Amino acid sequence: MVDHASSRADDAPVLRLEGVRRSFGIGTDVEIEILHGIDLVIQRGEFCALIGPSGSGKSTLLNIIGLLDRATAGKVFITGEDTDLLGDAELTRLRSRSIGFVFQNALLIPAFTALENVMMPQLVDKGWPDAAMRENASRLLGRVGLEQRKDNLANAMSGGQQQRVAIARALAMNPALVLADEPTGNLDTKSAEAVLKLMREVNLANGTTFLIVTHNMELAEQTDRIIEVVDGMVVSGTTRPTNASRNKLT
Ligand SMILES: Nc1ncnc2c1ncn2[C@@H]1O[C@H](COP(=O)(O)OP(=O)(O)OP(=O)(O)O)[C@@H](O)[C@H]1O
Ligand SMILES: [Mg+2]
């Protein structure tokens, strides 16, 4: 990438969606449209919730934002990059370097230690392990309060601990944007609160942008901005709230 492109990317919003649509073929000649033209801008450092009824299209939208799926129509810009212009290898590179994922299930590799799981994104990116990678993973496990557990096997940890490992793993490449699809959906209230608090701390400390899908309104109200999807349309939260309304939420 040339210099002027990278400085432009620094000023650009982390995410810009323009008229994003997604249809799925069902059967041979029937198509149903799930997302009906989504416009959305998320700036660096925002801490957002994505809410909406079951089946409204939240995960479909998150998969498109996360470059795991392509929109049928419309534009997706990640840190200023027009993703339409990127081939598969470049998309993979942008995804692994700019976006971290946290899912409802931690999806750790069960027979690997917490540390090895957190090292995984960097290992996949670089191809071989090194001391810096190990140090980074260790620091991140400290960040999520699991320094003492770094040599524990993933499957010997509680659900809340596994989810904290998953957050550390999502941060391994120091991504601009973390996408979390119901990260607290399988956790008890106390662990859910702890996981949200942790994401907020990372947001404040590193300026990492978060977009968190949740069905839990109490958690959503602790974010700065609630984006609501109903029937494949963003019905509120399209724009950033003013400081006044944000203070009311937090
Ligand atoms: N690959 C697919 N093929 C066909 N339809 C799909 C596909 N993926 C999702 N859908 C449909 O798109 C709609 C939205 O699904 P999505 O998973 O995005 O909802 P959601 O808002 O995440 O719901 P939940 O809160 O239950 O997770 C649903 O009607 C679903 O059946
Ligand atoms: Mg979903």
Side-chain angles (χ1 to χ4, degrees):
M1 208 196 301
V2 288
D3 273 356
H4 72 267
S6 55
S7 62
R8 192 182 57 214
D10 283 345
D11 302 337
V14 168
L15 171 73
R16 176 188 293 279
L17 302 180
E18 291 175 0
V20 165
R21 295 178 179 271
R22 181 68 169 103
S23 305
F24 292 107
I26 48 168
T28 44
D29 48 18
V30 186
E31 285 244 318
I32 50 165
E33 193 176 80
I34 301 298
L35 301 176
H36 310 295
I38 304 250
D39 297 322
L40 186 65
V41 175
I42 298 182
Q43 304 290 347
R44 274 179 196 271
E46 285 202 75
F47 192 70
C48 310
L50 183 65
I51 65 163
S54 181
S56 56
K58 303 180 299 296
S59 295
T60 304
L61 183 59
L62 220 65
N63 288 341
I64 289 172
I65 294 171
L67 310 177
L68 298 168
D69 184 24
R70 291 253 198 195
T72 316
K75 289 273 199 188
V76 178
F77 297 87
I78 301 289
T79 59
E81 295 244 28
D82 181 347
T83 59
D84 270 355
L85 305 179
L86 305 178
D88 283 348
E90 291 167 309
L91 271 185
T92 302
R93 192 161 179 263
L94 180 64
R95 181 173 56 233
S96 69
R97 299 196 172 173
S98 304
I99 305 174
F101 295 92
V102 183
F103 298 99
Q104 184 164 0
N105 297 307
L107 302 176
L108 303 179
I109 302 174
F112 281 18
T113 64
L115 189 81
E116 288 162 346
N117 272 281
V118 177
M119 285 171 65
M120 203 48 67
Q122 283 179 291
L123 189 57
V124 169
D125 188 68
K126 191 166 183 192
W128 63 90
D130 64 23
M133 218 177 261
R134 191 168 281 275
E135 235 165 72
N136 184 51
S138 190
R139 181 185 60 81
L140 286 167
L141 282 169
R143 186 87 189 73
V144 302
L146 290 174
E147 189 133 50
Q148 310 300 322
R149 304 264 174 183
K150 65 181 185 221
D151 297 322
N152 279 34
L153 292 180
N155 63 4
M157 305 179 100
S158 74
Q161 287 170 340
Q162 289 189 30
Q163 204 55 314
R164 284 190 278 154
V165 175
I167 292 170
R169 181 183 56 189
L171 299 172
M173 297 288 288
N174 193 22
L177 175 63
V178 172
L179 301 173
D181 199 347
E182 301 192 44
T184 64
N186 283 341
L187 302 180
D188 60 84
T189 312
K190 208 166 143 231
S191 308
E193 283 285 347
V195 161
L196 188 82
K197 184 162 169 271
L198 173 63
M199 291 193 284
R200 170 62 99 181
E201 281 168 9
V202 170
N203 161 254
L204 293 175
N206 301 358
T208 311
T209 309
F210 282 80
L211 181 59
I212 305 162
V213 175
T214 184
H215 282 281
N216 182 332
M217 271 315 286
E218 274 173 37
L219 293 190
E221 279 171 2
Q222 293 174 46
T223 68
D224 295 333
R225 174 178 173 192
I226 299 178
I227 300 160
E228 186 179 10
V229 178
V230 176
D231 289 339
M233 301 279 292
V234 174
V235 296
S236 64
T238 317
T239 52
R240 199 150 55 133
T242 61
N243 281 334
S245 60
R246 187 181 315 170
N247 289 342
K248 217 167 35 191
L249 289 176
T250 51

